[in-house]
Amino acid sequence: MSEEQTVSLVDVLKEDEELEEEASAVLAGSDSDHCSYPQGYVKRQALYACNSCRPKGGEAAGVCLACSYKCHEGHDLFELYTKRNFRCDCGNRKFTELQCKLHPEKEEVNRLNKYSHNFFGVYCTCSRPYPDPEDQVEDEMIQCVVCEDWLHGRHLGRVVPDCVELQEMICELCMNKNPFLWTYAAHLSVPGAAVQVKEERDADESNTNLPIKEEKGDEVIEPSCKRSREEVEPSCRLMELQTIGQKRVQSGAVFWPSGWRSKLCSCTTCKECLSEAGLSFLLDESDTVLAYENKGKTNEQRQQSHDPLMSVLDNLNHVQQLEIIHEGGGETDFVEDLLATPFWRRTFEEKLDIVSKGRPTPQLALTQPGKGFVRHFKSSNYERYSWLTGSENSCKLYCWECLLFATERLGVWSCTGFANLSCLSKAATRHQSTAGHLQATVLLKTFGETRVDLQLDEQVRKETELHNEKVKKNREILKRLIDCVIFLGKQELSFRGHDESKESTNKGNYVELLSFVAEQDTDLHYHLSTNEVFTGTSGTIQNDLISAIAEVMGEEIRREINQAPFVAVMVDETTDVDNTAQLALVVRYVTDTGVKERFVRLDDVTGNKRADDIAALLIRFLEDHDCLNRVVAQCFDGAAVNASGLNGVQAKVKEKAPLALFIHCYAHQLNSVLTKGVSKLTECRIFFSQLNGLAVFFSRSPKCSQLLNDICQRRLPRVAPTHWHYSSRLVNTVFDKRAALQELCEHVLEHHDEYDDESVRCADAYKAHLENFEFCFLLSTFHRIFECSDVLFGVLQNRKLDVQFCLKRVDEFCDTIEREKGRFADTFEATVSETGAPSAQRGQTEGDVRLQYQKLHSDILDNILVQIRNRFKDHEKLMFLSLLDPQQFRAYQKKFPDSVFSGLTQSHGSLFDDLTRLKTELTVMYAMAGFGGKSPDDLLAFLQQNDLVESMRQLYALACLAVTIPISTASVEQTFSALKRIETYSRSTTGEARLSSLASMAIEKDFLLELKRTDKLHNRVIELFVNKERRMDFVYK
């Protein structure tokens, strides 16, 4: 054999797999293409510190994974692994000569970021770099879960236990900063930790002989109640542990087993203490690095296709796989192979072959530094211990018998391996005396005689069958819970009750509905009456189910959006009963079954009404749904959006999505839009508030309503008090019936003994308003405006496809408003003749007052002109819609509309694959009677139903574009638009924190029921629900 080292195929595959798995664990949980800055302070992400860009003596700074690739390529980077709650610093004030290429617009500094000496390339209490060229001692680095510093194993103040990769560590400094953690350490720390017990209560003899459990430290204390924290509010577990009195030496780092966080107390007091100490994350199991790494591995597995070589190997049995893989040369590491494919999973023939070959005894390069010397593993140990074997690749020792037959799958000698040469003799002697080793020895010696493997396989099979049967029953119970949540959600009913105790006669709709269903379902009744671990009635369970259902709906909407050719985004602001401004995000797109308007979510914008904030939220929403490059229209409504500067919002969206035309959606009443715009003027806002109060007053009681009918022969239109949605009908009615309304108020005042005090007070106030000059002046002004805008609205609704005609009417409306400026004198004098001259304030002359009202009149008209021109400035680019106007088909058959088609080419030509083919398909459509009279919605349905989508692909794209742009809303014409349903729901909701998820279920109830009918909803909800730790088995083996 040549002296040159040979490399087998298995070595290559193994090395690649290890590198990919390590990279996936750390990096795949982070986005490598987009800067994480827009996500805010990310829960956990991979970070780097750039030594090249940071000025000498400058501040600490960290950059995200994507910025390390795009902005700091080739720089001297310090790898920080992962950090929690950090926002990318790339390009901010700390980098004097660098601008972030991925997200240049950033605040000067991220004030909530936390930095340590790690950001300067040094670690541990010794403040040395890693790797350290001056340190000759091989030592692993372990990260503290609290301060997130990396420390050498030899600087932790105690011996690092085995299986450290499955645990977490808190350094001594962090333990001392938070002394209550020592109490948990005494009971929950890793097995084998040195624990010293000293009594705190000598008087209580029952506590003087507490057992010290060195194995499974998390079993020392059994909870007094078997319910999880999801079901009931427990007593303070920390106080219970302190009362027991078991302590440990408070020095050195503490190692914690997997799942230790779930055993921490979560009572209100402890939560507050953890929050004050900045340790709230300890109650969040998804905060762990292990959870982050598992997420990264899962993401990577989804993105990568299966390796072609491994596809070939998968079709071979295990023996054939080993023969092919190891043909390239080199020795087989049988121990590593057994760890990858356990003995119990192999065929009987393979097991016989392994047993007959016996244990491998490879030469190991296993060493361990001592004080002034280095220990080396000696092969003579194989003779000393007949069960000892080793792995060349991992350089660790194992027990051959336990490797094959041990029932404890995670043991040191059967799984993780032993490498501490300083105590090999002691550990080996102790191991060979354990019951588990002796049992494995007997099984190895008698293997093949009694076919124990078949017995074990049969036992595993039976256990699996029993487990899966139990899971099936549990899932059926969970489906009943899901059905109850869906019913309450779509019916817009509250879930919780004020008193959910056993003695309560009304435990809330959710619990009561479950009880009602259980009367007809014996399995559910048995579960609710006997199961104390998971009843499914707690608030946490309800919230998790609601969230999971909404997430499934969101995933399905995301899937539809990904398949849609074009997308329009519709933004509406509404106010819930808690007076919280909620921004409703609705998307409009085409599916195989027609045009859809889907409500996606609500966002609280009470404190973020600036144009930059609204635009950033909208762009982030579109990026999250991967549709920014397919957005063809945007339309807005709502006080928050208008107040933020409508022009600024739509312009910023256009910077990212150039084809996103700003469209006036006809679902939003034109007069409502105009009124909301002028409501930014204080006088107008007061006027409309008074006008609304007048309508509410006369419709509040049957007596007032009847009196209104008798005197005015007309009712006042009702206006919703929770939303700035005013109608011209109310203005016109009050203008026409002002004298009659005055008479009505006078009647109430004259017959005050027949009315309650509140009615009399209101009548007196509204009589004064109706006689007030400013009120009447604004009433007359808006009456003249609304007379014109009503006509325009009718034109926009009835001739929506004839864009040229509509734009002409808009121009005429603007001309009328301009002329109205010159009619101020008429309006002013007419109001004076009805109410008398306006009163002047001290120091004002009659001329000053007139000028004041002339300015108000001009401001109102100018505001309306700005609103109209902003709303319709992009509509010129919609001239192409007339290509699908069925009223023009006959004219187009005689002469093709080349000018309109040319406009389409210039504005939206990039959206079509073949414009020449589109012109041909349009010509065919105009010529064939089968297309006659079909609106864009009808045309879309016609193409889909007659399987013409592929044959007339360009015409289909044009129809999709036309119906996606929300100037013609199918849901408005048929029932209610999504925006109307949002407003209705938000006025009736109870204002729960889970508003957005409940809103999805209530507003999109038809979509929810459609998902339920496909029988996919339940399983997908269950898969999401069981991702969190549960006390019942819901996962099949």
Side-chain angles (χ1 to χ4, degrees), residues 933-968:
K934 287 183 169 53
S935 67
D937 295 304
D938 297 332
L939 174 62
L940 183 71
F942 179 80
L943 295 174
Q944 291 176 336
Q945 293 168 5
N946 292 280
D947 198 21
L948 292 170
V949 172
E950 291 299 327
S951 302
M952 305 189 79
R953 167 60 62 183
Q954 305 306 312
L955 181 61
Y956 176 74
L958 180 59
C960 289
L961 178 62
V963 299
T964 300
I965 297 174
I967 68 165
S968 172

Short mmCIF file of all heavy atoms in Angstrom, two decimals, residues 933-968:
data_model
loop_
_atom_site.label_atom_id
_atom_site.label_comp_id
_atom_site.label_asym_id
_atom_site.label_seq_id
_atom_site.Cartn_x
_atom_site.Cartn_y
_atom_site.Cartn_z
N GLY A 933 -70.47 41.24 -25.21
CA GLY A 933 -71.19 41.60 -23.98
C GLY A 933 -70.54 41.12 -22.71
O GLY A 933 -71.14 41.25 -21.63
N LYS A 934 -69.34 40.58 -22.77
CA LYS A 934 -68.70 40.03 -21.57
C LYS A 934 -67.79 41.07 -20.93
O LYS A 934 -66.86 41.58 -21.56
CB LYS A 934 -67.89 38.77 -21.90
CG LYS A 934 -68.76 37.55 -22.20
CD LYS A 934 -67.93 36.32 -22.45
CE LYS A 934 -68.80 35.07 -22.47
NZ LYS A 934 -69.93 35.14 -23.41
N SER A 935 -68.06 41.36 -19.67
CA SER A 935 -67.20 42.25 -18.88
C SER A 935 -65.89 41.52 -18.58
O SER A 935 -65.79 40.31 -18.82
CB SER A 935 -67.90 42.62 -17.57
OG SER A 935 -68.02 41.46 -16.75
N PRO A 936 -64.88 42.21 -18.07
CA PRO A 936 -63.62 41.51 -17.73
C PRO A 936 -63.83 40.33 -16.79
O PRO A 936 -63.18 39.29 -16.96
CB PRO A 936 -62.78 42.62 -17.08
CG PRO A 936 -63.26 43.87 -17.73
CD PRO A 936 -64.74 43.67 -17.94
N ASP A 937 -64.73 40.46 -15.79
CA ASP A 937 -65.01 39.32 -14.89
C ASP A 937 -65.60 38.16 -15.67
O ASP A 937 -65.23 37.00 -15.47
CB ASP A 937 -65.96 39.76 -13.78
CG ASP A 937 -65.34 40.78 -12.86
OD1 ASP A 937 -64.27 40.51 -12.30
OD2 ASP A 937 -65.92 41.87 -12.71
N ASP A 938 -66.57 38.46 -16.56
CA ASP A 938 -67.20 37.41 -17.36
C ASP A 938 -66.20 36.80 -18.33
O ASP A 938 -66.21 35.58 -18.57
CB ASP A 938 -68.40 37.97 -18.12
CG ASP A 938 -69.50 38.49 -17.19
OD1 ASP A 938 -69.60 37.95 -16.06
OD2 ASP A 938 -70.21 39.42 -17.58
N LEU A 939 -65.35 37.63 -18.91
CA LEU A 939 -64.34 37.14 -19.84
C LEU A 939 -63.38 36.18 -19.13
O LEU A 939 -63.03 35.12 -19.68
CB LEU A 939 -63.57 38.32 -20.43
CG LEU A 939 -62.38 37.97 -21.33
CD1 LEU A 939 -62.84 37.18 -22.55
CD2 LEU A 939 -61.64 39.24 -21.77
N LEU A 940 -62.97 36.54 -17.93
CA LEU A 940 -62.06 35.68 -17.16
C LEU A 940 -62.72 34.32 -16.90
O LEU A 940 -62.09 33.27 -17.10
CB LEU A 940 -61.70 36.36 -15.84
CG LEU A 940 -60.71 35.62 -14.94
CD1 LEU A 940 -59.32 35.65 -15.55
CD2 LEU A 940 -60.68 36.25 -13.55
N ALA A 941 -63.96 34.33 -16.45
CA ALA A 941 -64.68 33.07 -16.20
C ALA A 941 -64.86 32.26 -17.47
O ALA A 941 -64.73 31.03 -17.46
CB ALA A 941 -66.03 33.38 -15.55
N PHE A 942 -65.15 32.94 -18.58
CA PHE A 942 -65.33 32.27 -19.86
C PHE A 942 -64.07 31.53 -20.29
O PHE A 942 -64.12 30.37 -20.73
CB PHE A 942 -65.75 33.30 -20.91
CG PHE A 942 -65.95 32.72 -22.29
CD1 PHE A 942 -67.13 32.06 -22.62
CD2 PHE A 942 -64.96 32.84 -23.27
CE1 PHE A 942 -67.31 31.53 -23.89
CE2 PHE A 942 -65.14 32.32 -24.53
CZ PHE A 942 -66.32 31.66 -24.85
N LEU A 943 -62.93 32.18 -20.15
CA LEU A 943 -61.65 31.56 -20.54
C LEU A 943 -61.32 30.38 -19.64
O LEU A 943 -60.82 29.34 -20.10
CB LEU A 943 -60.53 32.59 -20.49
CG LEU A 943 -60.62 33.75 -21.49
CD1 LEU A 943 -59.52 34.77 -21.22
CD2 LEU A 943 -60.51 33.23 -22.92
N GLN A 944 -61.60 30.50 -18.35
CA GLN A 944 -61.30 29.42 -17.42
C GLN A 944 -62.22 28.23 -17.61
O GLN A 944 -61.78 27.08 -17.63
CB GLN A 944 -61.40 29.94 -15.98
CG GLN A 944 -60.30 30.92 -15.59
CD GLN A 944 -60.48 31.48 -14.20
OE1 GLN A 944 -61.59 31.51 -13.67
NE2 GLN A 944 -59.40 31.95 -13.59
N GLN A 945 -63.51 28.50 -17.78
CA GLN A 945 -64.48 27.41 -17.88
C GLN A 945 -64.39 26.64 -19.19
O GLN A 945 -64.75 25.46 -19.25
CB GLN A 945 -65.90 27.97 -17.70
CG GLN A 945 -66.15 28.52 -16.30
CD GLN A 945 -67.43 29.33 -16.21
OE1 GLN A 945 -68.19 29.42 -17.17
NE2 GLN A 945 -67.66 29.93 -15.05
N ASN A 946 -63.92 27.30 -20.24
CA ASN A 946 -63.84 26.65 -21.55
C ASN A 946 -62.42 26.20 -21.91
O ASN A 946 -62.13 25.94 -23.08
CB ASN A 946 -64.37 27.60 -22.62
CG ASN A 946 -65.86 27.84 -22.51
OD1 ASN A 946 -66.68 27.04 -22.94
ND2 ASN A 946 -66.21 28.97 -21.89
N ASP A 947 -61.55 26.13 -20.90
CA ASP A 947 -60.20 25.62 -21.07
C ASP A 947 -59.45 26.38 -22.17
O ASP A 947 -58.77 25.80 -23.02
CB ASP A 947 -60.25 24.13 -21.42
CG ASP A 947 -58.90 23.44 -21.20
OD1 ASP A 947 -58.09 24.00 -20.43
OD2 ASP A 947 -58.66 22.37 -21.79
N LEU A 948 -59.60 27.72 -22.16
CA LEU A 948 -58.95 28.57 -23.16
C LEU A 948 -57.77 29.36 -22.58
O LEU A 948 -57.23 30.23 -23.26
CB LEU A 948 -59.97 29.55 -23.75
CG LEU A 948 -61.07 28.94 -24.63
CD1 LEU A 948 -62.13 29.98 -24.95
CD2 LEU A 948 -60.47 28.37 -25.91
N VAL A 949 -57.41 29.06 -21.33
CA VAL A 949 -56.36 29.83 -20.68
C VAL A 949 -55.04 29.70 -21.42
O VAL A 949 -54.34 30.69 -21.69
CB VAL A 949 -56.20 29.39 -19.21
CG1 VAL A 949 -54.98 30.05 -18.59
CG2 VAL A 949 -57.45 29.74 -18.42
N GLU A 950 -54.67 28.46 -21.80
CA GLU A 950 -53.41 28.25 -22.50
C GLU A 950 -53.49 28.70 -23.95
O GLU A 950 -52.53 29.24 -24.50
CB GLU A 950 -53.01 26.76 -22.43
CG GLU A 950 -52.61 26.30 -21.05
CD GLU A 950 -51.40 27.05 -20.51
OE1 GLU A 950 -50.53 27.43 -21.32
OE2 GLU A 950 -51.33 27.26 -19.29
N SER A 951 -54.64 28.49 -24.57
CA SER A 951 -54.80 28.86 -25.98
C SER A 951 -54.74 30.36 -26.18
O SER A 951 -54.23 30.84 -27.20
CB SER A 951 -56.12 28.29 -26.52
OG SER A 951 -56.16 26.90 -26.38
N MET A 952 -55.32 31.10 -25.25
CA MET A 952 -55.33 32.56 -25.34
C MET A 952 -54.65 33.14 -24.10
O MET A 952 -55.22 33.90 -23.33
CB MET A 952 -56.76 33.07 -25.50
CG MET A 952 -57.51 32.45 -26.67
SD MET A 952 -59.09 33.24 -27.04
CE MET A 952 -58.56 34.70 -27.92
N ARG A 953 -53.40 32.75 -23.91
CA ARG A 953 -52.65 33.08 -22.71
C ARG A 953 -52.49 34.59 -22.51
O ARG A 953 -52.61 35.10 -21.41
CB ARG A 953 -51.27 32.42 -22.80
CG ARG A 953 -50.23 32.88 -21.79
CD ARG A 953 -50.65 32.64 -20.36
NE ARG A 953 -50.83 31.24 -20.06
CZ ARG A 953 -51.25 30.79 -18.88
NH1 ARG A 953 -51.54 31.65 -17.90
NH2 ARG A 953 -51.41 29.50 -18.67
N GLN A 954 -52.25 35.35 -23.59
CA GLN A 954 -52.04 36.80 -23.46
C GLN A 954 -53.34 37.52 -23.13
O GLN A 954 -53.36 38.44 -22.31
CB GLN A 954 -51.44 37.36 -24.75
CG GLN A 954 -50.16 36.68 -25.21
CD GLN A 954 -49.10 36.66 -24.13
OE1 GLN A 954 -48.83 37.67 -23.49
NE2 GLN A 954 -48.51 35.48 -23.90
N LEU A 955 -54.43 37.10 -23.72
CA LEU A 955 -55.74 37.69 -23.41
C LEU A 955 -56.13 37.37 -21.97
O LEU A 955 -56.69 38.22 -21.26
CB LEU A 955 -56.81 37.16 -24.37
CG LEU A 955 -58.22 37.70 -24.17
CD1 LEU A 955 -58.25 39.20 -24.36
CD2 LEU A 955 -59.20 37.01 -25.12
N TYR A 956 -55.81 36.15 -21.54
CA TYR A 956 -56.08 35.78 -20.15
C TYR A 956 -55.28 36.66 -19.19
O TYR A 956 -55.79 37.11 -18.16
CB TYR A 956 -55.72 34.30 -19.95
CG TYR A 956 -55.86 33.83 -18.51
CD1 TYR A 956 -57.12 33.61 -17.95
CD2 TYR A 956 -54.73 33.60 -17.72
CE1 TYR A 956 -57.25 33.17 -16.64
CE2 TYR A 956 -54.86 33.17 -16.41
CZ TYR A 956 -56.12 32.96 -15.88
OH TYR A 956 -56.26 32.54 -14.58
N ALA A 957 -54.01 36.94 -19.53
CA ALA A 957 -53.19 37.82 -18.68
C ALA A 957 -53.79 39.21 -18.61
O ALA A 957 -53.81 39.84 -17.54
CB ALA A 957 -51.76 37.87 -19.21
N LEU A 958 -54.30 39.73 -19.75
CA LEU A 958 -54.92 41.06 -19.75
C LEU A 958 -56.18 41.07 -18.90
O LEU A 958 -56.42 42.03 -18.15
CB LEU A 958 -55.24 41.47 -21.19
CG LEU A 958 -55.89 42.86 -21.35
CD1 LEU A 958 -54.99 43.94 -20.80
CD2 LEU A 958 -56.22 43.12 -22.82
N ALA A 959 -56.99 40.00 -18.98
CA ALA A 959 -58.20 39.92 -18.16
C ALA A 959 -57.84 39.86 -16.68
O ALA A 959 -58.50 40.49 -15.85
CB ALA A 959 -59.02 38.70 -18.57
N CYS A 960 -56.78 39.09 -16.34
CA CYS A 960 -56.34 39.02 -14.94
C CYS A 960 -55.89 40.39 -14.45
O CYS A 960 -56.20 40.79 -13.32
CB CYS A 960 -55.19 38.02 -14.81
SG CYS A 960 -55.67 36.29 -15.00
N LEU A 961 -55.15 41.10 -15.28
CA LEU A 961 -54.69 42.43 -14.91
C LEU A 961 -55.87 43.36 -14.68
O LEU A 961 -55.90 44.13 -13.70
CB LEU A 961 -53.78 42.98 -16.01
CG LEU A 961 -53.23 44.40 -15.82
CD1 LEU A 961 -52.37 44.47 -14.56
CD2 LEU A 961 -52.44 44.85 -17.03
N ALA A 962 -56.87 43.30 -15.56
CA ALA A 962 -58.03 44.19 -15.45
C ALA A 962 -58.83 43.95 -14.19
O ALA A 962 -59.25 44.90 -13.51
CB ALA A 962 -58.92 44.04 -16.68
N VAL A 963 -59.06 42.68 -13.83
CA VAL A 963 -59.89 42.41 -12.66
C VAL A 963 -59.10 42.51 -11.37
O VAL A 963 -59.69 42.66 -10.29
CB VAL A 963 -60.56 41.02 -12.77
CG1 VAL A 963 -61.45 40.94 -13.98
CG2 VAL A 963 -59.51 39.90 -12.78
N THR A 964 -57.76 42.41 -11.45
CA THR A 964 -56.95 42.56 -10.25
C THR A 964 -56.93 44.00 -9.78
O THR A 964 -56.96 44.28 -8.57
CB THR A 964 -55.51 42.07 -10.49
OG1 THR A 964 -55.54 40.69 -10.87
CG2 THR A 964 -54.67 42.21 -9.24
N ILE A 965 -56.89 44.94 -10.71
CA ILE A 965 -56.92 46.36 -10.35
C ILE A 965 -58.29 46.68 -9.78
O ILE A 965 -59.31 46.49 -10.44
CB ILE A 965 -56.62 47.24 -11.58
CG1 ILE A 965 -55.20 46.96 -12.08
CG2 ILE A 965 -56.80 48.71 -11.25
CD1 ILE A 965 -54.84 47.66 -13.37
N PRO A 966 -58.37 47.15 -8.55
CA PRO A 966 -59.66 47.21 -7.83
C PRO A 966 -60.51 48.44 -8.15
O PRO A 966 -60.97 49.14 -7.27
CB PRO A 966 -59.21 47.22 -6.36
CG PRO A 966 -57.90 47.92 -6.39
CD PRO A 966 -57.25 47.55 -7.69
N ILE A 967 -60.73 48.70 -9.45
CA ILE A 967 -61.73 49.74 -9.76
C ILE A 967 -63.09 49.10 -9.98
O ILE A 967 -64.11 49.78 -9.96
CB ILE A 967 -61.33 50.56 -11.00
CG1 ILE A 967 -61.40 49.70 -12.26
CG2 ILE A 967 -59.98 51.17 -10.85
CD1 ILE A 967 -61.39 50.51 -13.53
N SER A 968 -63.06 47.79 -10.19
CA SER A 968 -64.31 47.05 -10.35
C SER A 968 -64.26 45.88 -9.40
O SER A 968 -63.55 44.92 -9.63
CB SER A 968 -64.47 46.57 -11.79
OG SER A 968 -65.58 45.71 -11.90
#
